[in-house]
């Protein structure tokens, strides 16, 4: 808690931003946001529930999917209160302390989700390229180890990033670009030297996205090479169809995140509404679409959900 108590900031409150230019219509804008949040919460909760309760789903791929659903729930909950608070009650103020806490969970679940997507790519690689050793490689104990490693990596990377906010002075404007606290957005408001913060942020990005993305690409290169060696076109389509859900999850996670990073780094002159919409896409697309993709494209999950709904 020391990080929260000893800040040398000249103001301790930030102003969050809703949808620039549509402040008069925030009540109406909140309707689709509520629908998206409800979809994300219900969809990911249902995925978690069926995996926990259905014995037939206690296998490596579903364990990783449950981790993905948990990370998506964390992302949704970590920003839902501030976003809906602005749209419903025009509650745009957030203290520096709460901002730091929100960044811990927001960036923490983002790093975790990136790690889960890498683990799922490894799962697909082993299942397709070395199927005979699948159950001996991805044991329950190893899956627990992978999960703990993702949590440890997240904490080790996030804590220094937030500790470096402690000596900063925020003496200029205090208006953030989004409806939640986003680290690059916060340090732009500092009037002291932020080179250490930027370097630490870049290191975190390299050690998460910079490591996970090439590993995911490499796994799919090896998967494609293995699939192309199958003589039957029908078998090739059948094998590769098991990867479609994961490819969709990777796309809807990394594309908005990379786009938002580029907007922050190179789009300073872009309209504020662009920053706001990119931020909302980055947060809402993965939690909303992942349960839909896996429910539609994964036969076991689809059957489990249908049987639950029929009951």
């Amino acid at each position: 808690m020391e990080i929260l108590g000893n800040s040398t900031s000249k103001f301790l409150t930030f102003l969050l931003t809703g949808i620039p230019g549509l402040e008069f219509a925030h009540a109406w804008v909140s309707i689709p946001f509520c629908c998206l949040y409800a979809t994300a919460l219900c969809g990911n909760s249902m995925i978690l529930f069926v995996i926990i309760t259905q014995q037939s789903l206690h296998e490596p791929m579903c364990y990783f999917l449950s981790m993905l659903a948990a990370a998506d729930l964390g992302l949704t909950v970590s920003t839902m209160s501030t976003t809906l608070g602005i749209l419903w009650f025009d509650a745009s103020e957030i203290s520096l302390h709460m901002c730091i806490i929100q960044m811990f969970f927001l960036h923490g679940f983002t790093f975790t989700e990136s790690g889960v997507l890498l683990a799922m790519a490894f799962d697909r690689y082993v299942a397709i390229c070395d199927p005979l050793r699948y159950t001996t490689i991805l044991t329950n104990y190893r899956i627990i180890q992978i999960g703990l490693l993702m949590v440890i990596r997240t904490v080790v990377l996030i804590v220094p990033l937030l500790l470096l906010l402690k000596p900063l002075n925020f003496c200029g404007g205090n208006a953030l670009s989004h409806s939640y606290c986003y680290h690059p957005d916060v340090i732009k408001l500092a009037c002291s030297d932020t080179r250490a913060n930027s370097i630490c942020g870049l290191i975190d990005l390299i050690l998460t996205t910079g490591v996970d993305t090439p590993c995911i690409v490499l796994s799919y290169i090896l998967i494609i090479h293995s699939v192309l060696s199958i003589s039957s076109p029908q078998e090739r389509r059948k094998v590769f169809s098991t990867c479609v859900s994961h490819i969709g999850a990777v796309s809807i996670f990394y594309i908005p995140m990379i786009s938002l990073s580029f907007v922050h780094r190179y789009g300073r002159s872009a309209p504020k509404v662009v920053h706001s919409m990119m931020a909302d896409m980055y947060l809402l697309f993965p939690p909303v679409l992942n349960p839909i993709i896996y429910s539609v494209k994964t036969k076991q999950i689809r059957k489990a959900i249908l049987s639950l709904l029929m009951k």
Side-chain angles (χ1 to χ4, degrees):
M1 297 299 292
E2 187 182 357
I3 183 176
L4 300 180
N6 295 332
S7 173
T8 57
S9 301
K10 295 185 180 178
F11 61 81
L12 294 175
T13 304
F14 294 105
L15 294 177
L16 300 172
T17 301
I19 308 295
L22 293 176
E23 289 84 359
F24 64 94
H26 272 177
W28 293 105
V29 173
S30 70
I31 295 174
F33 272 87
C34 287
C35 293
L36 290 172
Y37 278 123
T39 302
L41 292 172
C42 293
N44 288 292
S45 297
M46 186 172 289
I47 293 284
L48 273 175
F49 181 78
V50 296
I51 291 174
I52 292 170
T53 57
Q54 298 289 325
Q55 189 69 31
S56 61
L57 298 179
H58 291 180
E59 56 184 47
M61 186 270 288
C62 292
Y63 288 143
F64 289 131
L65 179 55
S66 68
M67 294 180 194
L68 184 68
D72 281 336
L73 277 175
L75 270 177
T76 302
V77 172
S78 64
T79 60
M80 183 172 62
S81 60
T82 53
T83 301
L84 295 183
I86 292 171
L87 297 177
W88 284 347
F89 310 112
D90 198 28
S92 59
E93 290 191 356
I94 184 170
S95 68
L96 178 62
H97 303 166
M98 291 305 298
C99 199
I100 289 172
I101 291 171
Q102 187 178 51
M103 281 190 288
F104 177 83
F105 288 106
L106 171 63
H107 293 292
F109 283 118
T110 302
F111 292 171
T112 301
E113 184 154 344
S114 180
V116 173
L117 290 172
L118 174 59
M120 295 175 85
F122 178 67
D123 170 84
R124 292 298 83 206
Y125 164 74
V126 176
I128 293 171
C129 299
D130 199 0
L132 296 179
R133 297 179 59 210
Y134 181 75
T135 54
T136 58
I137 293 174
L138 287 171
T139 61
N140 289 344
Y141 178 69
R142 190 154 292 158
I143 291 169
I144 292 171
Q145 286 181 315
I146 292 171
L148 287 175
L149 186 62
M150 287 187 288
V151 172
I152 292 169
R153 181 182 76 163
T154 296
V155 173
V156 167
L157 293 178
I158 285 290
V159 170
L161 193 69
L162 299 182
L163 286 174
L164 285 171
L165 292 172
K166 182 179 177 181
L168 295 183
N169 289 315
F170 298 93
C171 51
N174 63 341
L176 298 171
S177 304
H178 311 311
S179 59
Y180 56 86
C181 293
Y182 182 61
H183 184 263
D185 200 22
V186 171
I187 63 172
K188 281 196 299 186
L189 299 180
C191 54
S192 49
D193 188 2
T194 60
R195 281 178 295 181
N197 304 76
S198 298
I199 291 170
C200 186
L202 181 61
I203 290 171
D204 283 6
L205 191 64
I206 291 170
L207 293 179
T208 52
T209 306
V211 171
D212 297 347
T213 306
C215 290
I216 291 171
V217 171
L218 176 62
S219 70
Y220 273 101
I221 290 172
L222 297 173
I223 287 171
I224 291 170
H225 180 266
S226 178
V227 169
L228 291 177
S229 65
I230 300 173
S231 57
S232 169
Q234 187 176 357
E235 282 298 313
R236 283 203 296 266
R237 284 194 299 272
K238 183 179 178 181
V239 171
F240 198 70
S241 67
T242 63
C243 301
V244 171
S245 299
H246 182 253
I247 292 172
V250 169
S251 300
I252 64 175
F253 176 75
Y254 282 112
I255 291 174
M257 183 178 70
I258 293 170
S259 301
L260 181 61
S261 298
F262 272 103
V263 167
H264 266 281
R265 195 164 295 274
Y266 304 111
R268 295 179 185 272
S269 60
K272 288 184 178 180
V273 68
V274 173
H275 286 260
S276 179
M277 294 306 296
M278 290 301 303
D280 294 333
M281 286 172 54
Y282 159 64
L283 272 185
L284 286 172
F285 270 31
V288 169
L289 295 179
N290 280 338
I292 297 172
I293 290 172
Y294 278 96
S295 299
V296 171
K297 299 301 295 183
T298 306
K299 185 178 179 181
Q300 300 150 286
I301 300 294
R302 184 172 68 248
K303 287 176 67 176
I305 291 175
L306 287 174
S307 65
L308 177 67
L309 295 176
M310 291 291 285
K311 289 180 181 178

